[in-house]
Amino acid sequence: MISLVIGLAVLSVVMIPLEARWPALPNQPRFRRGWPLDLVYWFFTTLITKPVSRVVVAIVLFPALKLSGAGTYAKLLEGFGPLGDQPRLDQALQMIVLIDFVGYWLHRWFHSPRHWRFHAVHHSSVDLDWLSAGRVHPVNDIVNKAVEAALVVSLGYSPLLLAGVLPFFLFYAILQHANVTWDFGPLKKVFASPKFHRWHHTSAQEGQDKNFAGLLPLWDILFGTYYMPEHQPSKFGVNDAVPEGLVGQMVWPFRKPADSSEAL
Ligand SMILES: [Zn+2]
């Protein structure tokens, strides 16, 4: 809890000046629509989602341990086999690419009609800035972590090294939502930028179901979902009637559309 408060303070000191200096939407107020709920999500994720996700990952790793042939948890934690025997830097870089590739397809899976509501919660911020990165339904978060952990560990990579790589993805995701103009210029097709990801969040017809990659736009280029026009997106949110409060957003994905009174 203390580390979250310190982390948010540090992020504020870094991100707020960036958003003030290079705003994609200069007229967006600092205390814009939805910021209190986004902030609540940061605490909810830390206090609830994270501990639950640790338990789920431990359960998922059990069959991975059996199937992998690592023998013991200690061996599993160290990494094993030809991939786990490589130098740490090689393993870390390979894991980043692998997790990003799997993350691309998981993200597309969450955009399919059957699973969309769990992810629509994340898309429901109508004003977008770095704080919006925290608004994630626990099912969305836990499925991502469990799949990534199972895959990486089954292949023999060290999960301890994975734990070291994850903060990088977290910080990168925060930057991606920031209200800044950055498109990374000549590297715009190499690394996902805030402009790239903010187009993923647009509610406008253009940009729908585009830019799924977390880090490498290569996946979007390869699979036909890359979208990067000259102008910046200006409208965000979803066309579904996502409830506005935390409790409503927690239960909404579990309700059948016919059970709810909202117009879709
Ligand atoms: Zn999405």
Side-chain angles (χ1 to χ4, degrees):
M1 178 69 130
I2 291 288
S3 56
L4 172 63
V5 173
I6 295 171
L8 283 171
V10 171
L11 283 167
S12 303
V13 168
V14 174
M15 301 308 299
I16 290 175
L18 293 183
E19 292 187 333
R21 174 65 183 82
W22 291 280
L25 294 178
N27 295 327
Q28 180 168 294
R30 164 55 43 209
F31 294 102
R32 42 70 181 178
R33 290 172 292 177
W35 76 267
L37 181 60
D38 287 340
L39 185 61
V40 166
Y41 262 100
W42 282 82
F43 286 88
F44 181 85
T45 299
T46 303
L47 297 173
I48 310 288
T49 306
K50 225 172 164 181
V52 175
S53 122
R54 281 202 184 122
V55 173
V56 173
V57 167
I59 293 169
V60 165
L61 289 193
F62 186 71
L65 171 71
K66 294 291 165 201
L67 292 171
S68 65
T72 64
Y73 264 113
K75 189 76 184 140
L76 196 72
L77 290 176
E78 276 171 25
F80 61 91
L83 296 176
D85 288 340
Q86 299 175 100
R88 287 174 157 261
L89 181 62
D90 292 6
Q91 283 193 61
L93 291 175
Q94 290 164 24
M95 274 196 279
I96 286 173
V97 175
L98 183 68
I99 288 174
D100 201 53
F101 176 73
V102 173
Y104 171 88
W105 285 105
L106 270 174
H107 195 172
R108 286 190 66 163
W109 186 78
F110 270 114
H111 271 252
S112 64
R114 196 179 169 84
H115 314 112
W116 164 243
R117 284 187 168 206
F118 290 106
H119 185 61
V121 166
H122 175 61
H123 278 262
S124 66
S125 297
V126 288
D127 287 332
L128 208 61
D129 65 17
W130 65 274
L131 204 61
S132 313
R135 188 185 295 204
V136 182
H137 193 282
V139 169
N140 190 161
D141 202 355
I142 291 167
V143 167
N144 280 358
K145 288 208 171 66
V147 170
E148 287 162 2
L151 182 79
V152 158
V153 169
S154 308
L155 289 171
Y157 291 111
S158 161
L160 295 179
L161 212 50
L162 173 65
V165 169
L166 287 179
F168 164 78
F169 276 97
L170 177 63
F171 178 74
Y172 206 82
I174 294 164
L175 178 67
Q176 296 260 299
H177 295 83
N179 179 24
V180 296
T181 54
W182 298 354
D183 66 3
F184 296 164
L187 295 178
K188 69 180 172 191
K189 290 188 175 177
V190 182
F191 295 112
S193 61
K195 182 179 171 186
F196 172 90
H197 190 66
R198 287 167 66 82
W199 269 114
H200 175 73
H201 273 265
T202 190
S203 58
Q205 193 51 40
E206 58 166 339
Q208 289 296 300
D209 289 330
K210 303 290 185 199
N211 298 0
F212 291 97
L215 177 66
L216 305 170
L218 172 67
W219 315 127
D220 287 289
I221 294 167
L222 282 178
F223 302 115
T225 50
Y226 182 76
Y227 187 69
M228 199 70 157
E230 283 298 310
H231 58 292
Q232 295 278 346
S234 58
K235 287 190 166 49
F236 305 101
V238 289
N239 296 317
D240 313 69
V242 180
E244 288 185 3
L246 178 74
V247 176
Q249 292 193 354
M250 286 301 105
V251 298
W252 178 68
F254 294 101
R255 294 166 65 197
K256 288 180 189 160
D259 295 343
S260 51
S261 56
E262 69 262 30
L264 293 174

